[in-house]
Every structure is written in C-alpha cells, then in structure tokens.
Amino acid sequence: MSLAKIFLFEKSESHTRFFSEKGNLAVRKSVFIFSVVAATLFACNDDEPIVEEAALAPFKTSTIESFVQAGAQISDELVALGRMLFYEERLSKAHDISCNTCHNLATFGVDNEAFSAGHRGQLGGRNSPTVYNASMQFVQFWDGRAKTVEEQALGPITNPVEMAMPEDGNRVVATLESMPAYVEAFTRLFPGEAQPVSMENIGKAIGAFERRLITPTRFHAFLAGDEKALTQAEQRGLKTFLEAGCASCHRGPGVGGTQYRKLGEMEAWPGIEDKGRRDVTTVPEDEHFFKVPTLLNVAKTAPYGHNGQTATLEEAVRNMAKYQLAKTLSEADIQSILSFLNALTGEIPTDFIQKPTLPQSTATTPEPDAS
C-alpha cells in the first residue's frame, strides 16, 4: 500500500470516529463515501508497477527489433523468390505439398493438426511448429538437428514422409530448371555460380523469406517501455508467469527458443516415447530433451507439444507447471497466465504472405509421382 493510501485510511478512520461520537449519521455517510471514492482514485493512479523492471531481464537478452531489422536487410528480390518457393508444390514428389501446406501462413504458421499429412497421406512423428519467428530461435526442429532456417527449409523436401523428393536433390533442381522464370531469378540472385539453381540456394531463398516472418506483439512494446501496451490483467498474468518460474525456460524476445530442456524435468512425463535430442547426438543424457518452443502466437497454434497431444493452452499451462516445475497452479493462476499468453499474439502480414503467381510448368518439367 502506498503512503498516500495509508494516510487516507488513517484520516478517514479518525473522522469517522469523531462523527460517530456526535451521532450525525448523514455526515458519517458522506465521510465514508468520500473515503471510498478517494481510495479508488488513489488505487487507479498508484504508481507502483505490477511487474518490476528488473523482473523483465530474462526477456531482454536481445530485442525483437534486431530480428526485424535483420530480415529487412535481406534483398526484396531474394525474399520474393523464397516466397514463391515456400508455396511451390512442385518441390514435392507428387506436386501436392508445399512448405505452406504444413506451415500455413494464414493460420499463424501451423495447420493445427497433431501430426501433418505428408506424401501419400503419411503422418510425421512430431508436431509441425509455427514458421513465424522461427529465425529467432537458436536451432530448428524439436531436436535441434538444423542450426538455421536456411538449413531447416531443405529437410522436409527430401524427407520420405513429408515432400518425398529423392535425397540427392537432383529432381528438385531439374524441376526448377525446367521453368525459365526460376532459372532467370536464381541466375540474377546468385551471379557467377556454375549452377545457380541448387539445393543450397533454394534453402537460402526460403530462409530469406522466413526471416521476414517476425510478428512483434504488445508485449514487446511493453518491454520497450510502453506501460499501457498490456492491460492490468495481462500484467498480472505476466507476474504470475514469472513467479511460477515459467521464464526459466521461456526466455528471450521470443519467450522461448533459446535452449533445450528435458520434458518431464521434475516429474516423469506420462507416456513419452520420443527420444528427442538423443536421436541427433546419440548421447544417453540427451534423452527426452527438446528445444523449448517460442510462445509468440501460442494462443493460435494448438495443439501443443512435440507430439501435439495437448489439445488446449489451459492444459498445456497446467501440465508444464506440474511436470517441469513441480507446481500445482490454482485455476485463478492458470487463467491469469493465459491472459498474458494471449497478449503474445502478433499481427499476420496478410498482404506480404499472399500466395504469389508461380511459373507455368513446361514440357520438360518432371511429372508428379504419386508412388
């Protein structure tokens, strides 16, 4: 309680006692009403912050503006090519799957399925994470097997369950080289190279596009000093988030994506079979370790977890508290945290992500293969 409110309380009590002794009921009522109104005014103008500045340090390891600026420095022409390739279904064996199929840019970069359907309807073994703000994360994929979005972009193209192109990439290159518009774009953007249309350059182009897919939120405005950017309820939710210990994993401007953590760190996660990071490193100690995902736009990217088995955000908060922090949150605390998590939703750049016009196939374009 502020000094002003303490002073008001003491003065109003002494006045009430005085008028009580005199027996003047009307005056006592007026004093009481004045006290309530004045106390409300002081409460509304209290300058005590809900969340102290020092408590925000975990999120200020860098700024989201630095990632926005990094994307802006990439040439518009390379980004435009990457955007075309992101929507290009002919990069898949049957010409029916693009990056956007599983990472739908119109629905916050996900398909809202537990497992995405790939070539011939095959289901992957892990949930497809959002592509928005992916470049802010320190590694890619749940197990961190790719370091950059440029490297990650190539993985699904030759994955037999996903887009299913042959592993050597030759069919991918031949497909793009069959269309003059693609050859001209690659030749212009990668001058002097003996083979400008290459798997490496495909990754560079798609990665350039993804580096523009950053969605600043009201929370970032709050971090930058705009105290009005979050409502009082959202600030209280942030405080609950911090007090519960959520920021021990979900840190940085992406509110996650900065480290690996073991799933079931404090209590064994029920039914977990995925080895996680161990599949990449073969180190036994890495079993059940996964990249901590970003929480930006998390209210829009259900279902949750590496296996997509957590249907709602409320359930995710409850489970994370139990298995990662050994805490049982009250329903009030869960709802409070949810109010903060909803403030992490940014704006989708609807004009920028519209599907572009793609080149027509030619007589030499390889036919789709559904086998």
Side-chain angles (χ1 to χ4, degrees):
M1 184 180 294
S2 67
L3 290 175
K5 282 190 281 187
I6 293 171
F7 174 77
L8 174 64
F9 176 76
E10 291 176 345
K11 295 295 287 184
S12 63
E13 267 209 330
S14 63
H15 289 172
T16 302
R17 284 197 301 271
F18 171 79
F19 287 113
S20 177
E21 292 167 0
K22 298 296 183 181
N24 190 329
L25 180 61
V27 175
R28 290 206 313 273
K29 285 183 177 179
S30 65
V31 169
F32 174 75
I33 293 171
F34 168 78
S35 300
V36 172
V37 172
T40 302
L41 289 173
F42 272 113
C44 291
N45 292 285
D46 197 348
D47 58 359
E48 296 175 3
I50 294 176
V51 180
E52 296 291 340
E53 179 69 22
L56 299 175
F59 307 111
K60 294 186 174 182
T61 52
S62 58
T63 65
I64 196 169
E65 287 77 12
S66 65
F67 293 97
V68 172
Q69 291 169 4
Q73 291 169 1
I74 300 171
S75 76
D76 290 342
E77 197 172 11
L78 182 59
V79 170
L81 174 60
R83 178 180 166 195
M84 293 170 68
L85 297 173
F86 191 89
Y87 284 93
E88 183 54 84
E89 294 181 345
R90 288 167 293 189
L91 294 182
S92 66
K93 187 176 183 181
H95 293 190
D96 59 352
I97 297 171
S98 71
C99 302
N100 194 68
T101 302
C102 302
H103 303 282
N104 190 336
L105 296 181
T107 55
F108 288 88
V110 298
D111 59 6
N112 296 118
E113 300 289 343
F115 301 119
S116 300
H119 182 63
R120 299 181 65 186
Q122 298 176 89
L123 296 180
R126 290 176 180 157
N127 179 256
S128 297
T130 178
V131 71
Y132 282 108
N133 307 297
S135 65
M136 296 175 62
Q137 301 182 70
F138 83 123
V139 293
Q140 306 300 316
F141 294 111
W142 284 99
D143 57 18
R145 64 184 181 273
K147 296 298 182 185
T148 66
V149 289
E150 288 79 9
E151 182 183 351
Q152 183 279 329
L154 298 177
I157 296 175
T158 57
N159 186 305
V161 175
E162 298 181 58
M163 298 168 77
M165 281 294 206
E167 189 174 356
D168 61 17
N170 290 339
R171 182 182 172 90
V172 179
V173 171
T175 299
L176 295 180
E177 284 186 330
S178 73
M179 292 171 267
Y182 276 128
V183 174
E184 291 170 9
F186 275 94
T187 301
R188 188 167 56 253
L189 288 165
F190 301 99
E193 294 190 13
Q195 187 175 6
V197 181
S198 66
M199 290 297 288
E200 181 181 1
N201 289 343
I202 291 168
K204 287 179 179 178
I206 296 175
F209 174 61
E210 291 186 1
R211 289 183 184 278
R212 289 276 185 93
L213 299 177
I214 305 296
T215 58
T217 69
R218 290 186 292 111
F219 176 57
H220 296 105
F222 181 78
L223 289 177
D226 182 359
E227 297 178 358
K228 304 289 187 179
L230 297 184
T231 67
Q232 295 287 296
E234 290 164 348
Q235 290 183 45
R236 286 191 292 271
L238 169 58
K239 185 177 182 181
T240 307
F241 181 91
L242 290 165
E243 290 176 343
C246 305
S248 61
C249 295
H250 293 282
R251 310 169 65 84
V255 198
T258 64
Q259 58 184 302
Y260 299 110
R261 294 298 282 262
K262 183 178 181 179
L263 191 62
E265 196 162 17
M266 301 301 293
E267 182 179 335
W269 196 279
I272 183 172
E273 298 179 359
D274 195 322
K275 302 299 183 184
R277 181 75 177 146
R278 182 178 179 176
D279 287 344
V280 177
T281 66
T282 70
V283 176
E285 289 75 18
D286 286 340
E287 187 166 311
H288 304 327
F289 274 77
F290 296 88
K291 179 188 68 178
V292 176
T294 175
L295 294 185
L296 300 185
N297 303 313
V298 69
K300 304 293 186 179
T301 57
Y304 304 102
H306 71 282
N307 57 7
Q309 299 305 298
T310 304
T312 68
L313 190 53
E314 181 175 349
E315 183 184 358
V317 172
R318 184 180 293 109
N319 288 344
M320 286 290 110
K322 179 179 180 180
Y323 298 109
Q324 300 306 113
L325 300 169
K327 293 184 177 181
T328 301
L329 296 178
S330 68
E331 287 304 309
D333 282 345
I334 291 173
Q335 294 304 316
S336 181
I337 290 174
L338 290 176
S339 70
F340 165 62
L341 296 181
N342 275 282
L344 298 179
T345 302
E347 291 188 16
I348 290 178
T350 51
D351 292 338
F352 175 62
I353 64 169
Q354 289 291 325
K355 182 178 180 178
T357 301
L358 302 178
Q360 294 291 317
S361 294
T362 67
T364 58
T365 301
E367 292 293 321
D369 181 358
S371 65

